[in-house]
Amino acid sequence: MERQRLAMPMPKLLKILVSLLIIAVFWVAPAPAPLTQVGMRVIGVFIGTVLMLSLVDTVWPAILAVALLGRTGVATLNEAIAGTLGSWIVYFVLMSFVMTYALNKSGFTDRLVAKFMSMKFVSKSPWVFTISMATIGLILACFMDQVPAAAFMLMFANKVYEELGYTKKDAYPHVANIMVIYAVIIGGAMTPISHSLALLGMGIYEAAAGASMSLFTYLAFGVPTGLVLYVFLTVIMRLTCRNVDMSKFKDFDVQRVLKHQGKMQLRELITVIIFFGTVVMWMLPGIAGMFTEAAWVTALNDYGITFWAILSVVLMSVISVNNEPLINLKEVMNGQINWAILIFIAIGVYLGSAMSAESTGINAWITSNITPLTTSVPPVVVVIIITAAGVLLTNFASNVSTITVMTGVGVSLALASGGAINPAGIALCTTMAGSCAYLLPSSFACIAMLHGNEWSDSKKVYIFGIIMMIASSLAIGLVGYSVGCALT
């Protein structure tokens, strides 16, 4: 028997020690006002946790972060646990995973992938194929919440990689996953349909400026601005990923996939009806709200998207074909759900919320340091500064808090500018900026899902995330603001 001894690779040990040292330094360092000591501790936990999640492991640092946050003063341990595993986002993601698993198990995903891969247009070249796949994510996210859209697109894309013969170490899936999820993020920022973030920003503007803003105004602003961003995404990915191996496309025989597709059976049909019926219920309140304020629309909004996801999973567990349910939920929960990804998402979302808590003073510090930068500079520069600050903040903290803080700051500056800055225009910019999360797991559940996906490379996410942050700041601050001013 080999003698056992305590041992760990030195690089891994150093990464852990450096991360813990950062946490310790922020824990005892004095807090510059208006930051609080609680805020300093939370920042330290945030930086140390992100480093360990990125460089060491994606599970135990998340669990450690919950314990540490419970000692920072921003929340008790019980509150931190409830805010992570007890969050509605985590429950919603779990239900989305079960729904997409059921769709995959029914055979519909294979059918959809085969249909997509056999289309003459998308098969013209590997890049046309990749951009087409990302465009599906963009369009889907325009009409439904980004989280289920991201879950569906990751499942769809991962099936494509398997059919093409790629492995999880190949570069192409890593690049394609980034394009697909970033397209989902942009699509969700383009419209107010089923997107609470857009409605939040519009509501803050209306309260601060005392003027109304229609859903059509946001739509007319968001679509062209988002399309500019999406074009930039495709161009930058195309130019910087020329050396990605796409030889698998040359050897791929689409007939090999098509021949496995038979007639749709009852089990598959019912699963598809339940799945897409749920998608309709997610989208219906948002679409209907653009045309009417009837009581039934308000009632549907009150249910929320998680209710319909839960109902969908229950129906799939109860409805049986040939004495077997569409899904055996116990088996799915025990053997098919990646709980490590859920824990990863849970701490990512909660870290963003903790950073934005009032007791940390972080939002107040950001506001007090941004406002002086906007004095004695041209209005367009003020708009770009505010927009860039919104993009930066939402990639580290909660997008809800980002939109709340930055829209409030932007509209206040505009109202005090004597007409030099358009209040509605800057409100539209800060609202869209708050949805442009590309970088860290703490920024958005979709990005946490991207980092946690086994076909993804976090290093590439960071590189392209920074590029997209810069692009979003400029596109929204220049193109978006001009469009917003023309509409209001």
Side-chain angles (χ1 to χ4, degrees), residues 2 18 65 105 120 195 204 220 283 330 338 367 387 393 478:
E2 181 181 355
V18 169
K105 185 174 181 291
K120 291 184 179 180
H195 300 130
I204 293 170
M283 297 189 299
K330 183 184 291 186
N338 190 330
T367 301
T387 303
L393 183 57
L478 294 173

Side-chain angles (χ1 to χ4, degrees), residues 81-412:
I81 293 171
T84 49
L85 293 179
S87 167
W88 74 268
I89 285 284
V90 175
Y91 207 85
F92 180 59
V93 171
L94 175 60
M95 295 298 103
S96 298
F97 281 172
V98 175
M99 288 172 60
T100 50
Y101 169 80
L103 201 66
N104 192 29
K105 185 174 181 291
S106 73
F108 183 75
T109 307
D110 292 340
R111 187 182 305 279
L112 203 61
V113 168
K115 178 64 177 177
F116 176 73
M117 298 179 81
S118 64
M119 296 172 66
K120 291 184 179 180
F121 171 75
V122 302
S123 60
K124 284 186 176 181
S125 75
W127 277 107
V128 171
F129 181 94
T130 307
I131 293 171
S132 299
M133 186 165 63
T135 302
I136 294 175
L138 179 84
I139 296 172
L140 191 63
C142 282
F143 300 97
M144 64 184 290
D145 188 272
Q146 293 104 310
V147 172
F152 176 81
M153 289 308 302
L154 283 173
M155 175 195 65
F156 180 87
N158 293 351
K159 194 68 181 179
V160 168
Y161 310 145
E162 290 178 357
E163 294 293 352
L164 288 169
Y166 281 105
T167 69
K168 294 167 186 176
K169 294 182 179 180
D170 291 324
Y172 173 74
H174 303 159
V175 171
N177 261 5
I178 291 173
M179 281 196 68
V180 166
I181 296 303
Y182 282 8
V184 168
I185 296 295
I186 294 171
M190 285 168 61
T191 79
I193 302 170
S194 303
H195 300 130
S196 58
L197 295 179
L199 299 176
L200 172 65
M202 292 165 63
I204 293 170
Y205 163 75
E206 291 177 353
S212 62
M213 179 184 291
S214 71
L215 297 176
F216 288 102
T217 298
Y218 188 94
L219 197 64
F221 152 83
V223 170
T225 307
L227 289 177
V228 169
L229 264 179
Y230 183 58
V231 169
F232 181 87
L233 170 65
T234 57
V235 170
I236 196 64
M237 297 296 284
R238 180 69 180 87
L239 293 178
T240 58
C241 300
R242 293 180 177 179
N243 297 324
V244 173
D245 179 21
M246 294 186 171
S247 60
K248 302 287 186 182
F249 284 86
K250 296 179 182 179
D251 302 327
F252 177 69
D253 179 15
V254 71
Q255 295 302 320
R256 177 174 59 83
V257 179
L258 290 175
K259 70 180 182 181
H260 295 300
Q261 304 306 315
K263 185 179 179 181
M264 184 179 289
Q265 300 296 314
L266 181 61
R267 179 179 295 273
E268 181 183 353
L269 177 62
I270 297 175
T271 303
V272 168
I273 290 173
I274 294 174
F275 184 95
F276 288 101
T278 305
V279 171
V280 169
M281 296 309 297
W282 286 336
M283 297 189 299
L284 185 58
I287 296 175
M290 297 183 67
F291 304 99
T292 179
E293 296 182 0
W296 66 269
V297 176
T298 303
L300 284 179
N301 267 319
D302 290 341
Y303 277 96
I305 55 178
T306 308
F307 173 84
W308 301 111
I310 294 173
L311 184 60
S312 174
V313 171
V314 171
L315 286 175
M316 290 178 178
S317 303
V318 172
I319 297 176
S320 299
V321 175
N322 292 343
N323 296 319
E324 289 186 10
L326 299 180
I327 55 169
N328 186 320
L329 194 55
K330 183 184 291 186
E331 291 183 1
V332 174
M333 289 294 186
N334 289 337
Q336 302 299 328
I337 297 300
N338 190 330
W339 293 100
I341 290 182
L342 280 174
I343 292 174
F344 185 84
I345 292 171
I347 192 58
V349 172
Y350 189 69
L351 274 173
S353 299
M355 286 279 286
S356 305
E358 186 176 348
S359 61
T360 64
I362 295 174
N363 286 340
W365 184 87
I366 291 170
T367 301
S368 64
N369 282 274
I370 287 175
T371 304
L373 296 177
T374 62
T375 59
S376 303
V377 294
V380 67
V381 177
V382 174
V383 174
I384 292 175
I385 290 174
I386 296 297
T387 303
V391 172
L392 179 65
L393 183 57
T394 203
N395 275 276
F396 289 86
S398 162
N399 40 29
V400 172
S401 297
T402 297
I403 292 173
T404 302
V405 171
M406 297 314 302
T407 302
V409 170
V411 174
S412 297

Side-chain angles (χ1 to χ4, degrees), residues 412-437:
S412 297
L413 286 173
L415 293 174
S417 69
I421 301 174
N422 185 304
I426 199 168
L428 288 166
C429 290
T430 54
T431 299
M432 191 173 200
S435 296
C436 292

